[in-house]
Amino acid sequence: MLSILRDAGWPIWFLLATSVLCLALIFERLLSLRRSLVVPAGLLTQVLDMVRNRQDSPEAINRLERNSPLGRVLAEVLRYRHAPRDEMRLAVEDAGRAVAHDLNRYVAALGTIAVVAPLLGLFGTVVGMIDIFGSYSPVGGDPAQLAHGISVALYNTGFGILIAIPAMIFHRYLRGRIEGYLHQMEQAAGRAARVLGGGTRARPAADEDAGLRDPMFQDALS
């Protein structure tokens, strides 16, 4: 490993730092985006039972908000269940956008790494080419310097691609996972709003079927 670092030249250190950052972001997001932490199973049923048993005190709603991102959305439904339907919808949409922002934290950085890593590899390639051209002289070339330049160029190119591939894979994977979570939250919020009622304005039949499907969460993903 040390011989590879030596042969790859000083540009490889930028790629090593990028790879460490990439791995740290991937592990942090995988741990933070576990289903049990984001959309706990049975939480909606517990919330409906809590309301049915008249245990929906302000303290209980605050605990629900701190429970998980899904709890944060459902807490807004409980707080505004007696408000007009449009007011409830706006409150839940605001909560959904805030949750989506939190869930997408650091995911964009993985996309940036997927783009930057090959550029850093290209930079190392250019440095290696400079070494190659520097090895030539009117009286002949230096084989050792020529070999070193080729090593710098190839190692940096390879490392750049090697970092970019998993970064792009996990960027797309995490985006898909987050989108799935937001869809589940949207469905849970719509069901809670329909079951709990609330609002003083009757909703059209088509609106009832759609639930809370306004740009509640999707805007934050773009």
Side-chain angles (χ1 to χ4, degrees):
M1 184 64 182
L2 293 178
S3 63
I4 293 177
L5 295 178
R6 183 181 62 254
D7 294 338
W10 61 267
I12 198 67
W13 294 105
F14 295 106
L15 287 168
L16 285 177
T18 303
S19 67
V20 171
L21 177 61
C22 180
L23 288 175
L25 293 177
I26 289 173
F27 282 117
E28 190 280 336
R29 285 293 82 190
L30 289 177
L31 292 175
S32 299
L33 295 177
R34 285 174 292 172
R35 183 175 299 275
S36 60
L37 297 180
V38 180
V39 284
L43 183 60
L44 177 59
T45 302
Q46 296 175 22
V47 170
L48 297 178
D49 289 341
M50 181 176 69
V51 175
R52 198 171 295 116
N53 296 329
R54 300 183 182 278
Q55 298 175 341
D56 52 328
S57 63
E59 293 78 11
I61 295 177
N62 289 336
R63 287 196 301 270
L64 173 64
E65 185 176 28
R66 295 189 297 268
N67 174 270
S68 61
L70 175 58
R72 187 174 175 181
V73 173
L74 295 178
E76 288 300 297
V77 176
L78 293 183
R79 289 193 180 103
Y80 288 88
R81 68 185 183 278
H82 299 307
R85 178 68 64 176
D86 290 340
E87 185 175 345
M88 175 197 283
R89 183 180 310 187
L90 289 174
V92 176
E93 286 176 4
D94 288 342
R97 280 189 287 268
V99 166
H101 179 270
D102 291 342
L103 294 180
N104 278 286
R105 183 177 53 183
Y106 304 140
V107 175
L110 285 175
T112 302
I113 290 174
V115 175
V116 170
L119 295 179
L120 290 175
L122 180 60
F123 171 72
T125 302
V126 172
V127 173
M129 295 299 293
I130 293 173
D131 286 345
I132 292 174
F133 284 111
S135 66
Y136 288 98
S137 67
V139 296
D142 182 357
Q145 188 174 356
L146 175 62
H148 178 70
I150 294 175
S151 296
V152 171
L154 294 180
Y155 276 127
N156 281 274
T157 301
F159 269 79
I161 296 173
L162 186 63
I163 295 170
I165 290 174
M168 179 58 70
I169 290 174
F170 278 99
H171 174 259
R172 296 299 180 89
Y173 169 72
L174 292 173
R175 293 267 303 189
R177 177 183 284 194
I178 292 170
E179 187 172 354
Y181 286 157
L182 294 177
H183 178 70
Q184 293 180 45
M185 293 181 203
E186 184 181 358
Q187 295 298 312
R191 181 185 172 192
R194 290 191 294 270
V195 172
L196 298 178
T200 57
R201 181 175 65 82
R203 303 176 67 194
D207 212 17
E208 183 70 24
D209 292 337
L212 300 179
R213 299 192 60 82
D214 286 284
M216 171 178 173
F217 304 119
Q218 297 350 359
D219 288 347
L221 282 172
S222 59

